[in-house]
Amino acid sequence: MTIYRALTIAGSAARGGAGIQADIKTFQERDVFGMSAITAIVAPHPITRSGIFPQSIEAIEAQYYTAVNDIGIDALKTGMLFSEEVILRVAELLEEKKFENLVVDPVIIGKMGSQLLKDDAVNAMKEKLFPLAKMITPNMPEAAKLLNILELKSINDMKEAAIELHKLGPHYVLIKGGRLKGPAIDILYDGNTFEMFEAERIDTINTNGAGCTYSAAITAELAKGKSVHEAVKIAKDFITVAIRHSLSFKDQVGPTNHSAYRKYNH
Ligand code: PXL
């Protein structure tokens, strides 16, 4: 039996619903062997107020090479990379050995408002990482930030943004319409045609880690050799059910439910 393997290069979210934790849970749920290279630890300290603890370049390299050399990789994704220095090094590593199935989730700002990518790192992400990606998966605010525009408001804005982002080099651009009014419509663009993936809008605030989970599900399906169309279709179902059954702890913005697709979808 073939075991498919996926790596996430991202931040560790101590709350358990986003970042590395969301990715690994999702890989497991989609029957893919998950590995991690942690770029930073995200955990708000109640007294010192520090919330982001970056890992050294050496530590990131060590984790990456361990995954590549000891296990092997069928697909990988990047999430929170935090600094220009990390982006440049990760891009170098991914140039050194190229992977067809690279999903770049351009994590910039978390749902709780924390800045997960420094402002001066946005250009490095666009110039060095996007050209290596099979797919980039910005949400609407991220797409706006990447293109230096104020806001995306409509499907038409999303389509125009997808065309501009595609020029930066990824094979596919998936803009996630979580912030639209009405149904949650995502736009996939391959440089030629647009494809829409639509799901009902679920009225909940508990969507912490939704973006991470969605892109991890896409990565897992690509690891198994699924087409981009199939991977996004399955991942869209996965995240929709995970949001429908999202979790609520202690009045915070809660996480999506990573086991919901397995438990409730069939
Ligand atoms: O959901 C965005 C995200 C990504 N990565 C890490 C996070 C978050 C949001 O909480 O903590 C590590």
Side-chain angles (χ1 to χ4, degrees):
M1 195 187 71
T2 311
I3 296 169
Y4 298 103
R5 305 149 297 179
L7 169 69
T8 170
I9 306 173
S12 165
R15 293 168 91 242
I20 290 277
Q21 286 77 359
D23 295 343
I24 296 277
K25 290 174 190 183
T26 303
F27 292 160
Q28 183 71 20
E29 289 292 336
R30 296 306 304 144
D31 201 16
V32 166
F33 182 78
M35 294 163 285
S36 60
I38 296 175
T39 57
I41 292 167
V42 178
H45 192 289
I47 297 162
T48 66
R49 304 241 166 239
S50 297
I52 296 182
F53 304 87
Q55 300 299 292
S56 66
I57 294 289
E58 189 187 3
I60 297 167
E61 287 171 0
Q63 297 170 85
Y64 173 79
Y65 282 123
T66 300
V68 174
N69 296 335
D70 294 4
I71 307 292
I73 294 173
D74 298 302
L76 75 167
K77 66 164 278 191
T78 62
M80 173 191 179
L81 297 173
F82 190 55
S83 68
E84 182 181 35
E85 188 192 15
V86 172
I87 291 175
L88 294 178
R89 187 63 189 125
V90 167
E92 270 174 15
L93 293 169
L94 298 174
E95 282 276 7
E96 205 173 279
K97 185 176 166 79
K98 291 210 162 101
F99 293 96
E100 196 197 321
N101 292 322
L102 169 63
V103 176
V104 172
D105 187 21
V107 172
I108 300 178
I109 299 172
K111 248 178 220 95
M112 326 286 285
S114 47
Q115 186 161 9
L116 302 175
L117 184 70
K118 294 182 183 171
D119 281 333
D120 64 4
V122 172
N123 276 339
M125 165 109 72
K126 286 160 64 174
E127 286 166 19
K128 302 290 182 190
L129 220 43
F130 284 5
L132 302 171
K134 176 159 213 161
M135 190 190 299
I136 62 169
T137 60
N139 58 29
M140 293 165 76
E142 285 162 353
K145 178 98 186 164
L146 288 163
L147 294 171
N148 229 342
I149 54 182
L150 206 56
E151 200 183 1
L152 307 187
K153 290 192 188 138
S154 61
I155 301 273
N156 218 33
D157 291 353
M158 289 163 72
K159 285 184 172 171
E160 280 173 19
I163 292 171
E164 290 308 310
L165 290 170
H166 191 269
K167 290 180 186 160
L168 298 170
H171 293 289
Y172 293 84
V173 177
L174 180 70
I175 303 192
K176 300 171 290 187
R179 266 88 170 170
L180 284 170
K181 297 210 169 21
I185 298 174
D186 308 329
I187 306 270
L188 180 68
Y189 182 62
D190 64 359
N192 251 319
T193 47
F194 296 102
E195 189 178 358
M196 313 242 246
F197 294 84
E198 180 173 335
E200 86 221 61
R201 162 109 9 228
I202 297 155
D203 184 23
T204 175
I205 59 159
N206 300 316
T207 57
N208 176 226
C212 310
T213 301
Y214 190 10
S215 62
I218 294 170
T219 307
E221 299 310 316
L222 293 177
K224 294 180 212 166
K226 293 268 164 59
S227 69
V228 166
H229 167 85
E230 266 300 294
V232 175
K233 196 163 163 301
I234 294 168
K236 179 74 170 168
D237 283 349
F238 187 92
I239 189 58
T240 301
V241 182
I243 294 173
R244 189 178 303 130
H245 297 276
S246 61
L247 306 171
S248 176
F249 302 104
K250 298 199 169 190
D251 290 338
Q252 306 265 346
V253 174
T256 75
N257 186 341
H258 297 99
S259 59
Y261 185 85
R262 164 169 50 88
K263 289 200 256 189
Y264 307 119
N265 200 46
H266 302 289

